Amino acid sequence: MFEQYSYKQKCIALFGLFLMLSYTAYKRSFKNLIDVYKENKELTVHAKDIASKSKNLDILSMEIASYDKYLGNQNVARDVVQQEVIAFSTQHEGVSINDLQAIHSFEGESYSVYTNQLDVTGNINDLIKLAYDFETKFSFSRVVSTNYYTVKKNNTNEILHLRILFQNYDMKSKK
């Protein structure tokens, strides 16, 4: 049947058949394989990016926890903090509140800082214990400054005072 064709014609027909089969194999198998390989490469890069961001997220959450420990709990209402300062200081025997200043607030771009000032009187041991307890046990705000001073009234006796400054912060939500 193929004796009537020359070798040249047979080679051209065979080459044409080879091209058609190659094109069909490319369309049916190799194209899908190449697409899957490219998608796999993209997804691998994307997965590495997500993994690196999740590591950064873990680091950020640890940093936030350490800042909360250092600066006090965030997003606590400032009136609640002042009430907790009063309640905490009245739990200590031998200490009386002399003065409680109004809340001072500072607004930054992405945060707000609230400062409370408490002035208490008492003997040295009770005031030191109060300052230590505020530093270690009070979680609503952090002690920023303590100042011991005396006030002499009517040239008779000196009264020992302790002025404590507390600060806490609120993060503003981005809109």
Side-chain angles (χ1 to χ4, degrees):
M1 166 168 164
F2 292 112
E3 291 87 23
Q4 62 188 3
Y5 299 113
S6 68
Y7 285 116
K8 187 177 181 181
Q9 290 175 335
K10 288 179 187 176
C11 282
I12 291 174
L14 189 59
F15 185 70
L17 183 63
F18 174 75
L19 286 178
M20 286 189 333
L21 288 176
S22 297
Y23 181 74
T24 305
Y26 170 76
K27 280 296 214 180
R28 306 247 322 145
S29 300
F30 298 126
K31 183 179 179 192
N32 293 337
L33 178 66
I34 292 170
D35 289 342
V36 167
Y37 181 74
K38 287 179 184 177
E39 185 177 355
N40 185 21
K41 256 185 162 177
E42 291 173 6
L43 290 176
T44 304
V45 169
H46 191 63
K48 286 180 183 177
D49 187 38
I50 289 173
S52 69
K53 287 181 181 178
S54 68
K55 287 179 186 175
N56 292 341
L57 183 63
D58 294 339
I59 291 170
L60 284 176
S61 51
M62 286 179 7
E63 286 178 356
I64 288 173
S66 68
Y67 288 147
D68 281 345
K69 183 177 179 184
Y70 181 71
L71 297 174
N73 293 336
Q74 65 176 342
N75 299 328
V76 177
R78 59 187 183 170
D79 297 333
V80 171
V81 172
Q82 192 172 40
Q83 291 170 1
E84 290 296 327
V85 166
I86 294 169
F88 192 82
S89 60
T90 56
Q91 292 175 356
H92 289 77
E93 297 289 327
V95 176
S96 62
I97 297 175
N98 184 45
D99 186 27
L100 180 65
Q101 296 288 326
I103 300 170
H104 178 266
S105 62
F106 172 78
E107 303 285 331
E109 283 185 27
S110 61
Y111 61 92
S112 300
V113 177
Y114 302 109
T115 305
N116 293 298
Q117 180 177 330
L118 176 67
D119 191 353
V120 293
T121 60
N123 67 28
I124 187 70
N125 290 332
D126 293 335
L127 292 180
I128 288 175
K129 182 173 179 354
L130 177 69
Y132 178 76
D133 287 345
F134 265 122
E135 186 69 34
T136 57
K137 297 177 183 175
F138 191 68
S139 64
F140 288 94
S141 186
R142 284 291 167 233
V143 175
V144 177
S145 171
T146 59
N147 182 21
Y148 294 91
Y149 64 96
T150 58
V151 173
K152 192 170 189 176
K153 286 195 175 183
N154 300 334
N155 294 332
T156 55
N157 58 355
E158 291 182 348
I159 299 173
L160 182 62
H161 289 259
L162 170 62
R163 180 175 295 137
I164 305 174
L165 293 177
F166 301 93
Q167 282 187 343
N168 60 321
Y169 67 101
D170 283 335
M171 300 299 292
K172 293 180 182 177
S173 60
K174 294 184 180 182
K175 294 180 181 178

